[in-house]
Amino acid sequence: MGIVDRTPPVTRGNLGRYNKVHAVTQNTTYHATGSNEAAAFMLGGTKANATLHFSAGGAMTGSDFDAGVVHEIGVKKVVTGATAVVYLLK
């Protein structure tokens, strides 16, 4: 056996900058630690009902960011309220 006998990957082509998304829906506390740590995020719903904790420290509410825009800041924890949705990209 060698490299010739290896099964080719199922995913082919240009995968893009982010290849996985995790939606943190309403009334949820999500710890994006270890392999789940996000490289960026997008906001949906009511931005003020989300609090983001960043990989290198610090936290901000979602109202400090524009909705529908990819924000390239590492996220390790998200807390959402009744009408917020945060999309974590990795």
Side-chain angles (χ1 to χ4, degrees), residues 45-87:
T46 305
K47 301 182 307 179
N49 287 336
T51 303
L52 299 119
H53 299 261
F54 305 113
S55 299
M60 295 176 81
T61 64
S63 58
D64 295 319
F65 298 94
D66 293 328
V69 175
V70 174
H71 300 282
E72 294 186 345
I73 302 171
V75 177
K76 67 178 180 180
K77 179 181 172 185
V78 177
V79 180
T80 57
T83 57
V85 179
V86 178
Y87 301 98

Side-chain angles (χ1 to χ4, degrees), residues 26-53:
Q26 297 87 0
N27 298 315
T28 303
T29 298
Y30 181 75
H31 296 273
T33 57
S35 63
N36 291 323
E37 190 168 5
F41 68 92
M42 281 183 19
L43 295 166
T46 305
K47 301 182 307 179
N49 287 336
T51 303
L52 299 119
H53 299 261

Side-chain angles (χ1 to χ4, degrees), residues 1-9:
M1 282 191 19
I3 201 159
V4 176
D5 297 327
R6 192 170 3 159
T7 305

Side-chain angles (χ1 to χ4, degrees), residues 13-32:
N14 184 359
L15 298 177
R17 183 175 223 150
Y18 306 106
N19 298 305
K20 188 173 181 183
V21 63
H22 178 82
V24 181
T25 56
Q26 297 87 0
N27 298 315
T28 303
T29 298
Y30 181 75
H31 296 273

